[in-house]
Amino acid sequence: MHTGDDADSTARVAIACQGGGSHTAFTAGVLKRLLREREDHSYELVGLSGTSGGAVCATAAWFGLVTSGTERAVATLDAVWRDFSALSPPDRVLNEWIVFLAQFAAHGGPMPLISPYDLPTTEVGRDRFLETLEAHIEFERVPTLAADTSVDLILGAADVTEGEFTTFCNDAVTAETVLASAAIPTLFEAVGIDDHWYWDGLFSQNPPIRDFLTMAASASEKPDEIWVVQINPKYREDVPRSMEDIADRRNELAGNLSLYQEIAFIEKINDLIERGSLPAEYKPVAVEFVDLGSDLPSSSKIDRDPEFIDRLMERGSRRAERFLRGRS
């Protein structure tokens, strides 16, 4: 959908990436296809945002894009997800065991509740996460790159003690802020940054959307369209009855709560513009979705099996292609 005055004009597009653990490998597939098709489908990328796994994808894509262009962005996404996958035999065994436990718990099986502060492996997981990011993203270059590009990068996190939504934007993005956005409280300790403590952005803006509008200095700099890569399905045909289905749906609704609050804000602004109630510096913004679907259980959000990751990426690529065809 084009929103400019000229039907043939290049639309200004921002892409927002919802969180969802391993399911956001789908997002990596979406981003790779969308970035490669920019010229053929007449749109200019003006921003990327993300939360949790979506923050990982947004940051990897942004860094590659502003450093060397589309192919670097694609390569960075592939490299990050390759390293996050369970590749070694011991890691595969561990991954299978963790997924089994998650499925067992989802079916109502008794599981001990252990704080990440009491687990000796918590620090290992944190270090591996940071090392993987830093192996492919040169965070020391982010301030300079952010100053030289018109593409915004926005990550969402939740301030644990203050109870506030937080975004890390452009030159404020570091490996630690990506970790803060992805720090699931049952798996990671809260991430301390500048005397504040952060949890996974699932509890805040999932993903950040309004910031695309509030950061723009004028109407001309705001996006014409925001494309949301959605991991948690909005609709379910049936009422969940089993413990697994109930847990899945509860997780999905929690993940979508902030998303639809963000979209309601944009819809309200669009309505006021249509009524003529806002000055000229406001312009309508279209919101479109590229969604994962509703056939995957929430327990698979922690599955790092390489074949599963590859299938999700391929699904993302196909969905993005279908989305672009429908937009033409």
Side-chain angles (χ1 to χ4, degrees):
M1 175 180 178
H2 294 280
T3 58
D5 294 332
D6 182 353
D8 295 324
S9 64
T10 299
R12 294 171 56 82
V13 170
I15 303 175
C17 307
Q18 190 177 50
S22 293
H23 287 185
T24 50
F26 168 84
T27 303
V30 170
L31 290 176
K32 290 193 295 181
R33 177 54 64 91
L34 292 182
L35 292 176
R36 281 176 164 159
E37 300 290 337
R38 279 182 298 158
E39 292 186 4
D40 290 343
H41 290 270
S42 300
Y43 78 89
E44 174 191 0
L45 182 67
V46 298
L48 285 161
S49 75
T51 291
S52 195
V56 173
C57 290
T59 303
W62 180 89
F63 175 78
L65 186 66
V66 302
T67 302
S68 302
T70 297
E71 291 310 311
R72 177 72 179 272
V74 170
T76 304
L77 284 163
D78 282 336
V80 167
W81 277 100
R82 181 187 64 242
D83 285 0
F84 275 139
S85 299
L87 296 175
S88 68
D91 205 10
R92 281 179 174 266
V93 171
L94 176 62
N95 180 65
E96 291 175 2
W97 177 242
I98 291 174
V99 172
F100 167 76
L101 291 177
Q103 293 170 340
F104 180 68
H107 283 88
M111 291 289 294
L113 298 178
I114 304 175
S115 167
Y117 292 86
D118 297 327
L119 289 172
T121 57
T122 299
E123 188 172 343
V124 174
R126 176 186 185 278
D127 290 345
R128 177 179 175 179
F129 185 94
L130 293 173
E131 289 168 1
T132 298
L133 291 177
E134 291 169 342
H136 304 290
I137 301 170
E138 300 168 68
F139 286 96
E140 68 277 6
R141 297 181 61 191
V142 167
T144 301
L145 293 169
D148 292 340
T149 181
S150 60
V151 182
D152 286 321
L153 175 62
I154 307 166
L155 310 183
D159 190 319
V160 179
T161 57
E162 298 296 326
E164 296 178 347
F165 295 176
T166 299
T167 53
F168 300 102
C169 305
N170 296 327
D171 59 357
V173 171
T174 65
E176 286 72 22
T177 61
V178 180
L179 174 62
S181 180
I184 300 171
T186 55
L187 299 178
F188 290 97
E189 297 178 3
V191 178
I193 301 173
D194 296 333
D195 298 323
H196 289 263
W197 297 91
Y198 298 98
W199 272 349
D200 187 289
L202 167 67
F203 303 102
S204 60
Q205 294 159 285
N206 187 24
I209 293 177
R210 281 184 292 182
D211 297 75
F212 289 133
L213 309 182
T214 58
M215 289 173 61
S218 65
S220 64
E221 294 183 5
K222 294 177 181 178
D224 300 307
E225 304 177 28
I226 296 175
W227 299 347
V228 180
V229 184
Q230 186 171 13
I231 301 301
N232 297 307
K234 180 177 182 180
Y235 298 105
R236 288 284 187 182
E237 292 186 5
D238 301 317
V239 175
R241 298 183 182 277
S242 69
M243 285 304 299
E244 181 180 18
D245 290 343
I246 290 169
D248 281 356
R249 191 55 178 156
R250 183 174 62 179
N251 181 286
E252 291 165 356
L253 292 174
N256 281 338
L257 178 62
S258 60
L259 169 62
Y260 288 109
Q261 289 174 336
E262 298 270 282
I263 292 173
F265 170 82
I266 292 178
E267 290 176 341
K268 180 64 175 178
I269 295 298
N270 287 346
D271 182 57
L272 291 172
I273 292 170
E274 186 176 350
R275 295 181 188 180
S277 302
L278 291 176
E281 59 262 30
Y282 290 87
K283 71 176 182 181
V285 177
V287 180
E288 306 288 345
F289 292 85
V290 184
D291 64 282
L292 170 64
S294 58
D295 59 318
L296 298 175
S298 290
S299 58
S300 63
K301 286 183 176 181
I302 60 172
D303 189 355
R304 296 182 296 112
D305 178 83
E307 288 77 19
F308 179 59
I309 297 299
D310 287 344
R311 290 197 302 273
L312 285 172
M313 282 194 179
E314 180 57 33
R315 179 188 292 200
S317 179
R318 293 195 305 270
R319 292 285 171 86
E321 182 179 8
R322 187 172 68 188
F323 169 79
L324 290 171
R325 286 202 306 267
R327 180 179 174 275
S328 300

